[in-house]
């Protein structure tokens, strides 16, 4: 079972294989490194209605998880916004749902997703990703499962608005507003 602790630097889940981590209605502000940090717990994460602001590196950084639900958070003015790490297909379906978040004014990247394995699904809907210094949204690794990218606003980011490094799965891209980004609007 994983260990979750709050220390002077961040909320952190460390080592282990499993566990459920729920963070609700919490302010994680002005920490030296990451705001919320997970280093390979392979657990279930829910972060809802939180303000994650002014942290030196990632505001929210989740590594390998079997389930991630990130909803109605404000993630702003961090070194980087959100890193939603690998959702592997070990032993069944894996799921990531990201909805209703505002990710803005981070020094570098807005939202970075990583590997999406077979039997894995990722729903990215109704998010506002604006005015970040680097990518608005990027998927840095293979998509073998499915990604639904719907009804998002991706605007005014310093690099690409939306960037998919590589894919081999299924992507539904529908009803998004992607404009005024520093490089490509949508890059596949």
């Amino acid at each position: 079972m994983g260990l979750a602790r709050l220390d002077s630097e961040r909320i952190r889940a460390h080592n282990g294989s499993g566990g459920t981590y729920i963070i609700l209605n919490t302010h994680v502000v002005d920490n030296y490194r990451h705001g919320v940090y997970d280093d390979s717990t392979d657990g279930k994460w829910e972060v809802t209605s939180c303000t994650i602001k002014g942290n030196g590196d990632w505001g929210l950084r989740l590594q390998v998880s079997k389930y991630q639900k990130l909803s109605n958070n404000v993630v702003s003015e961090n070194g980087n916004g959100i890193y939603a790490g690998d959702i592997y297909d070990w032993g069944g379906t894996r799921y990531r749902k990201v909805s209703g978040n505002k990710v803005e004014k981070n020094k570098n990247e807005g939202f970075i997703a990583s590997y999406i394995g077979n039997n894995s699904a990722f729903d990215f809907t109704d998010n506002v990703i604006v005015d970040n210094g680097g990518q608005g949204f990027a998927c840095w690794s293979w998509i073998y499962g499915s990604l639904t990218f719907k009804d998002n606003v991706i605007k005014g980011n310093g690099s690409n608005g939306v960037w998919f490094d590589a894919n081999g799965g299924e992507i539904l891209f529908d009803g998004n507003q992607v404009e005024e980004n520093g490089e490509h609007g949508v890059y596949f």
Side-chain angles (χ1 to χ4, degrees):
M1 186 107 180
L3 168 70
R5 76 175 168 230
L6 174 62
D7 61 27
S8 61
E9 188 175 345
R10 64 197 163 266
I11 296 172
R12 179 178 185 193
H14 179 67
N15 295 331
S17 58
T20 299
Y21 308 93
I22 300 172
I23 303 171
L24 304 171
N25 305 308
T26 300
H27 290 263
V28 183
V29 178
D30 294 331
N31 294 288
Y32 175 72
R33 287 213 50 217
H34 307 297
V36 177
Y37 180 73
D38 159 36
D39 66 351
S40 299
T41 65
D42 193 34
K44 295 179 180 179
W45 278 89
E46 179 179 342
V47 181
T48 302
S49 299
C50 294
T51 298
I52 303 173
K53 180 178 178 181
N55 298 289
D57 199 343
W58 290 98
L60 174 59
R61 186 182 191 282
L62 304 179
Q63 188 56 19
V64 177
S65 302
K66 61 177 108 178
Y67 175 84
Q68 298 170 354
K69 180 180 178 188
L70 311 175
S71 57
N72 302 314
N73 299 293
V74 175
V75 180
S76 65
E77 301 175 34
N78 301 288
N80 295 283
I82 297 174
Y83 176 80
D86 303 345
I87 49 173
Y88 286 107
D89 49 0
W90 301 323
T93 301
R94 304 299 175 114
Y95 186 68
R96 176 185 298 145
K97 181 174 180 66
V98 179
S99 63
N101 298 288
K102 187 169 189 178
V103 181
E104 65 176 348
K105 301 178 186 170
N106 294 290
K107 182 177 179 181
N108 299 303
E109 314 297 351
F111 190 102
I112 302 298
S114 189
Y115 179 90
I116 302 168
N118 292 319
N119 301 317
S120 298
F122 179 10
D123 291 329
F124 192 85
T125 57
D126 297 314
N127 298 287
V128 176
I129 313 292
V130 296
D131 300 326
N132 297 287
Q135 313 279 345
F137 173 94
C139 189
W140 281 356
S141 191
W142 292 97
I143 300 170
Y144 290 108
S146 67
L147 169 61
T148 300
F149 197 95
K150 187 173 180 180
D151 298 329
N152 300 290
V153 175
I154 313 292
K155 181 177 179 180
N157 297 289
S159 185
N160 297 303
V162 178
W163 182 56
F164 300 103
D165 182 28
N167 67 72
E170 178 181 314
I171 299 172
L172 171 63
F173 194 87
D174 181 31
N176 300 290
Q177 177 185 345
V178 182
E179 59 186 34
E180 300 174 13
N181 296 289
E183 293 185 30
H184 303 288
V186 180
Y187 180 89
F188 285 92

